Amino acid sequence: MLKPEQYYLKIGRAADLPNARERRLFRFLEIMPGFLSWLTLLAVIILSWQKPVWVAFFIIIFDLYWLLKTVFLSFHQQSSFKKMKRNLKVDWLEKLEQLTGTGLIGAGPKNWTDIYHLVILPVYKEKVELVRSTFQALASSKYPLDKLIVVLATEERAGVSGQEIAKKIQEEFGSKFFRFLITVHPQDIVGEIAGKGSNETWAGKKAKELVDELRIPYEQIIVSSFDIDTQVYPHYFACLTYNYLTCADPFHSSFQPIPIYNNNIWDAPAISRVLAIGATFWHSIQQSRPERMSTFSSHSMSFKAIVEMDFWPEKNVSEDSRIFWKALLFYDGNYQNVPLYYPISMDANLAENFWQTTINVFKQQTRWSWGVENVPYFAFGCLKNKAMAFRKKIYHGFNHLEAFWSWATNALLIFMLGWLPVWLGGKEFNKTILSYNLPYLTRSIMTLAMVGLVGSALYTLQLLPPRPAKYKSRRYIWMILQWFLVPISTIVFGSIPALISQTRLMLKKYMGFWVTPKHR
């Protein structure tokens, strides 16, 4: 449990701090990400007018940097993709059987048959068909179902219909698992915001009561927090168990699969597909850079760790990544993410019509970019935590801030602001050779960088599930051509939502939890 001096781990926003001085400090840290992003964009605009030569050279250098970064990340993407394909072919149950006595087992439990999986599935107002498909995937797992404790975490605010769906699922699937538990998260609890984090914390505490009653050691339980549309692949739990057992320090580790948004990918419009598959590619890249990775969406960790930390955060929107930053602070920097190189399947954004899908995609990207709220949280925690190594504070703090700065600014710098010196530089600058060649140089560099989209298109075809009979073969062509939308999508559904989130945080216009509607 948290100690009194670890109060900073429970902070949602500046107002949660009773001390005025600390509150002002936290507000400064909340302002910083948006301030830096807007300062960058405004500086480029003003300097394009006052110092066009400087900006022209900056743009060329920045575009070259982006080209090199694209090449660098493409190698990571290729490596992760190959490992994922290889892992999908592995019989992980057989590997578990062969594991005992090999010397590969780490500091945790020594026998895989001692491991239980606690699966928490927060649900709000999703349709019963969607929930059923998730449970069908769980029940089809090639893993002993008598080792699964499944919690369907409902919300009181969902009304009677939510409980009716839960009862239907219990009737169909309740007897298939070791234990099946339905929890009802009360609405309007003081100090919480309505969202996934508060619901899964309520469910986790109820599950703890069951675990204590069953007298299962926490060290032998892996807890997985899944979005309700998450469908596990057959060997997911066996793969997770293997990584848990062979991890040198499983109690201070999170285990991250690769989210693949292909449950309904054939039905989703192009802009939704591009962003969904783009998210898959990004998280694949991060698997090869675990030191830069934080937990995202559906992930797993030791039940011992989650109990020690007093469960998930209840006062913020981005609970999936917040739990990693909370763990990093709680364990004084002794915490890591372990990439599984193994997929889970989720839904791409899809509504009843194209325009509503577009709106929902924008809202979802804005909510994801609200993860910027963890920048001030971690920075403040570093100031309060004296035990974490200084180099770890700097490393994680800088990379975290830089990631959100890049999210908000890079696409705009690349695709929009490169022409500013020509437009604003005045007659003297426009007479120079640099002015004449700037558009050609930037276009050529960006064309080279866009070649990476060919690889993305090829990977897309390999990730796709079987084509539904209702679609013609020519739909494969659109799956390739959709990547020409990348310049638009990275600005409209990338930089702009990120800027909105950072600006809202800067202006104290805090975001609530928006549940992405699920439609199939």
Side-chain angles (χ1 to χ4, degrees):
M1 299 298 290
L2 300 184
K3 300 174 183 177
E5 60 269 23
Q6 293 176 310
Y7 66 94
Y8 57 89
L9 296 177
K10 301 285 284 185
I11 297 170
R13 54 192 61 164
D16 294 333
L17 290 163
N19 183 282
R21 184 178 179 183
E22 290 186 338
R23 195 161 55 246
R24 287 193 296 269
L25 173 60
F26 201 94
R27 273 298 297 145
F28 168 78
L29 296 172
E30 287 180 334
I31 291 169
M32 183 173 58
F35 174 78
L36 291 176
S37 294
W38 280 111
L39 178 64
T40 300
L41 298 176
L42 292 174
V44 170
I45 294 172
I46 294 171
L47 291 175
S48 294
W49 170 43
Q50 294 293 323
K51 299 290 182 181
V53 175
W54 293 7
V55 174
F57 279 113
F58 166 77
I59 289 170
I60 294 171
I61 294 170
F62 186 83
D63 285 352
L64 286 170
Y65 155 77
W66 185 257
L67 172 62
L68 294 174
K69 184 176 181 179
T70 301
V71 173
F72 171 75
L73 293 179
S74 67
F75 283 116
H76 280 291
Q77 180 183 349
Q78 184 181 27
S79 173
S80 294
F81 188 76
K82 287 181 178 179
K83 290 178 180 178
M84 184 183 73
K85 287 185 68 177
R86 185 165 62 244
N87 282 348
L88 281 170
K89 297 176 182 178
V90 172
D91 185 337
W92 289 96
L93 267 179
E94 182 179 341
K95 288 200 72 170
L96 284 173
E97 292 286 0
Q98 298 170 353
L99 188 60
T100 304
T102 61
L104 296 176
I105 296 178
K110 303 305 179 185
N111 195 321
W112 77 270
T113 57
D114 294 331
I115 299 295
Y116 288 84
H117 288 270
L118 171 61
V119 182
I120 298 178
L121 293 157
V123 62
Y124 182 43
K125 292 183 177 181
E126 288 79 11
K127 294 181 179 179
V128 67
E129 292 79 11
L130 185 146
V131 182
R132 181 181 290 117
S133 66
T134 295
F135 275 84
Q136 286 171 341
L138 281 175
S140 300
S141 295
K142 295 184 182 299
Y143 192 86
L145 298 184
D146 61 354
K147 295 294 183 180
L148 266 60
I149 302 171
V150 182
V151 182
L152 186 57
T154 68
E155 292 275 10
E156 182 185 22
R157 59 195 176 97
V160 176
S161 60
Q163 299 310 310
E164 290 176 348
I165 290 174
K167 289 177 181 177
K168 288 181 181 178
I169 297 299
Q170 185 176 35
E171 289 172 1
E172 293 182 47
F173 299 97
S175 61
K176 295 182 181 294
F177 308 111
F178 175 58
R179 290 290 189 276
F180 183 90
L181 181 64
I182 296 174
T183 61
V184 184
H185 176 227
Q187 60 184 348
D188 301 327
I189 295 179
V190 177
E192 289 186 353
I193 67 167
K196 183 183 172 186
S198 55
N199 188 2
E200 63 191 352
T201 289
W202 180 270
K205 291 178 178 178
K206 292 297 180 182
K208 179 180 177 296
E209 295 175 6
L210 174 62
V211 168
D212 290 341
E213 180 182 325
L214 295 170
R215 297 183 179 180
I216 303 174
Y218 297 163
E219 294 85 352
Q220 294 176 200
I221 301 176
I222 306 172
V223 57
S224 297
S225 173
F226 287 163
D227 288 354
I228 194 59
D229 60 324
T230 301
Q231 295 185 20
V232 295
Y233 282 63
H235 284 281
Y236 176 79
F237 291 111
C239 176
L240 172 59
T241 304
Y242 183 89
N243 278 272
Y244 186 79
L245 290 176
T246 57
C247 180
D249 191 1
F251 307 136
H252 299 118
S253 302
S254 287
F255 301 85
Q256 182 65 54
I258 300 174
I260 299 181
Y261 297 87
N262 62 358
N263 286 346
N264 58 347
I265 196 69
W266 286 100
D267 300 317
I271 195 66
S272 178
R273 294 198 302 266
V274 167
L275 290 162
I277 298 172
T280 294
F281 289 161
W282 174 250
H283 290 289
S284 298
I285 290 168
Q286 294 297 80
Q287 295 267 308
S288 290
R289 307 190 301 168
E291 73 283 354
R292 300 285 299 268
M293 183 171 62
S294 62
T295 44
F296 174 79
S297 186
S298 299
H299 60 276
S300 305
M301 60 192 300
S302 164
F303 191 60
K304 178 178 184 293
I306 200 67
V307 171
E308 288 179 348
M309 290 188 292
D310 197 24
F311 298 91
W312 291 270
E314 302 160 282
K315 297 181 179 180
N316 70 300
V317 173
S318 53
E319 96 301 326
D320 52 350
S321 53
R322 172 63 64 88
I323 192 61
F324 169 75
W325 300 109
K326 181 179 180 180
L328 194 63
L329 291 167
F330 181 83
Y331 291 112
D332 302 327
N334 181 30
Y335 201 82
Q336 64 175 346
N337 272 306
V338 175
L340 295 179
Y341 295 104
Y342 198 87
I344 51 171
S345 183
M346 304 176 73
D347 281 20
N349 213 314
L350 178 63
E352 296 181 354
N353 57 66
F354 172 79
W355 291 113
Q356 190 58 53
T357 298
T358 303
I359 292 170
N360 288 353
V361 167
F362 190 88
K363 288 182 177 180
Q364 183 185 58
Q365 295 296 314
T366 306
R367 192 195 73 196
W368 284 358
S369 65
W370 187 251
V372 71
E373 66 177 337
N374 292 322
V375 172
Y377 173 84
F378 181 69
F380 185 81
C382 286
L383 294 174
K384 306 304 293 184
N385 185 312
K386 306 303 181 184
M388 186 188 299
F390 181 73
R391 60 179 179 82
K392 283 197 173 185
K393 294 178 180 180
I394 295 297
Y395 179 83
H396 288 290
F398 174 80
N399 286 331
H400 198 200
L401 177 60
E402 188 274 335
F404 283 96
W405 175 85
S406 296
W407 192 345
T409 62
N410 283 8
L412 291 170
L413 291 173
I414 291 168
F415 295 113
M416 290 185 66
L417 302 185
W419 293 82
L420 281 179
V422 177
W423 293 342
L424 303 177
K427 294 181 180 179
E428 291 300 317
F429 175 72
N430 286 326
K431 292 177 182 178
T432 64
I433 296 176
L434 179 60
S435 171
Y436 178 78
N437 288 314
L438 180 61
Y440 299 100
L441 282 170
T442 55
R443 185 166 63 244
S444 298
I445 295 170
M446 285 300 98
T447 299
L448 286 173
M450 296 289 280
V451 170
L453 294 181
V454 176
S456 297
L458 295 176
Y459 287 136
T460 298
L461 296 179
Q462 297 182 62
L463 288 171
L464 289 174
R467 174 177 54 85
K470 62 181 178 180
Y471 293 119
K472 304 293 184 181
S473 297
R474 62 174 175 267
R475 196 164 178 87
Y476 282 108
I477 298 174
W478 296 114
M479 291 291 182
I480 296 175
L481 295 179
Q482 68 189 18
W483 290 101
F484 287 103
L485 294 172
V486 165
I488 297 173
S489 66
T490 52
I491 293 173
V492 177
F493 299 97
S495 287
I496 292 177
L499 272 176
I500 289 174
S501 292
Q502 293 178 24
T503 304
R504 289 187 60 159
L505 185 63
M506 184 170 61
L507 299 178
K508 212 174 178 180
K509 302 294 183 181
Y510 300 112
M511 188 182 298
F513 191 91
W514 180 74
V515 180
T516 305
K518 304 292 192 302
H519 181 77
R520 294 180 186 172

